[in-house]
Amino acid sequence: MTDSDASIAERLRRDLGRMTPNEKRAAQRLLADFPMAGLDSAARFGEAAGVSAPTVLRMIAKLGFPSYGAFQDELKAELAARRATPLTKGLQRYADDPLAGFAAASVDNLRATAANVPRDEFAAVAALLSDPRRPVHLLGGRFTDPIADYMAVHLRVLRPDVRRVTGQPVAWLDQLLDVRKRAVVVLFDIRRYSSDLADFAERAAARGASVVLVTDQWLSPISKVARHVLPAHVAAPSVWDSGAGLMLITEALLAAVATARGAEGRARLEALETIRREGD
């Protein structure tokens, strides 16, 4: 997988570990105000990050850009992609075999997702979800909420204290009462990003919860308050984005939790099978 498959936001998160402290400050400044911070001049960007312009240029060179202009061109392209709607995306037609064409695009998304999810982030999220002392709350957007539901149904079998945040956004605030300091809040948000989800994320983070964001390669604004971010590639030859990459992350996390829960998870599975047999 080449860097051309990874968004700038993905590269920033993936490559933080090989940056110098000052380069990391520049990268974190960009992530905190993505992508707008990078659309300023290198001097102004550096000033806002508390580093020099040459430091900014070294940081973008580590991301694979030959010049600041090339970096800004890619930022503008990603900004346009973040703002894409079903009307502006258009349709790509496959005259011979539409199913095969869409399948190929989905496979590309799966490969790009697997290549660009930071492994330390994935491991940290799996550890949080495996800890029965940490209540888990799950919520998604208009098209991603069913994935939150899918994850909740499976997690509930493996561990206790798994809750779905449900209802209209006004009802989410009531459910914040149960979001406490040790809670894990898992949110699914892809373009067109939900302002209601962003508000919930900010409130949950303010209550001390660990916010986990599963998002697209351009990163939902929720990434600014999320403790852990797992990006999936979602672009598809359709007016809608693909959920294949999101499901890959979800199912991989569920598999990791099942392994981590070990005997305790197996005991819950056995108890559930007993309950089902008693109901037959």
Side-chain angles (χ1 to χ4, degrees), residues 150-170:
Y150 180 90
M151 183 175 232
V153 168
H154 287 78
L155 271 181
R156 213 172 275 137
V157 176
L158 297 170
R159 49 151 298 155
D161 293 329
V162 176
R163 304 183 184 187
R164 281 283 283 119
V165 180
T166 59
Q168 297 298 313
V170 67

Side-chain angles (χ1 to χ4, degrees), residues 42-263:
R44 289 181 181 273
F45 179 4
E47 182 180 356
V51 300
S52 67
T55 296
V56 171
L57 297 178
R58 286 193 296 271
M59 183 269 291
I60 67 160
K62 285 188 176 178
L63 297 179
F65 292 99
S67 68
Y68 197 68
F71 164 72
Q72 288 193 317
D73 287 344
E74 182 62 26
L75 272 183
K76 291 171 185 175
E78 291 190 11
L79 180 59
R82 288 180 97 194
R83 292 173 173 172
T85 70
L87 284 175
T88 61
K89 283 181 67 182
L91 287 172
Q92 182 176 343
R93 300 187 183 280
Y94 296 96
D96 296 331
D97 193 339
L99 177 59
F102 199 94
S106 296
V107 169
D108 287 343
N109 278 337
L110 292 175
R111 287 174 174 158
T113 299
N116 289 298
V117 168
R119 297 308 191 260
D120 56 344
E121 287 281 270
F122 182 90
V125 173
L128 285 174
L129 296 178
S130 301
D131 188 346
R133 299 167 299 178
R134 291 181 174 273
V136 178
H137 306 258
L138 300 102
L139 177 63
R142 181 183 176 192
F143 293 116
T144 55
D145 201 46
I147 302 177
D149 200 47
Y150 180 90
M151 183 175 232
V153 168
H154 287 78
L155 271 181
R156 213 172 275 137
V157 176
L158 297 170
R159 49 151 298 155
D161 293 329
V162 176
R163 304 183 184 187
R164 281 283 283 119
V165 180
T166 59
Q168 297 298 313
V170 67
W172 298 352
L173 300 182
D174 301 341
Q175 294 165 79
L176 273 170
L177 291 171
D178 294 321
V179 175
R180 300 184 178 91
K181 181 171 280 190
R182 291 188 59 80
V184 181
V185 175
V186 182
L187 301 176
F188 294 82
D189 191 34
I190 62 174
R191 65 178 183 184
R192 312 161 73 180
Y193 308 109
S194 167
S195 58
D196 290 320
L197 273 178
D199 179 68
F200 187 87
E202 290 175 4
R203 292 173 184 269
R207 293 177 67 84
S210 297
V211 175
V212 173
L213 171 66
V214 183
T215 184
D216 55 32
Q217 63 261 49
W218 305 287
L219 301 194
S220 158
I222 294 172
S223 62
K224 297 174 184 178
V225 299
R227 186 166 298 178
H228 301 289
V229 179
L230 302 177
H233 282 238
V234 302
S238 167
V239 293
W240 295 289
D241 286 326
S242 170
L246 302 171
M247 284 298 294
L248 169 62
I249 291 172
T250 298
E251 294 198 317
L253 283 171
L254 289 169
V257 171
T259 299
R261 292 285 292 151

Side-chain angles (χ1 to χ4, degrees), residues 17-29:
R18 65 187 187 93
M19 294 182 183
T20 67
N22 280 344
E23 290 166 358
K24 190 175 293 186
R25 288 177 67 182
Q28 289 169 336
R29 168 61 187 166

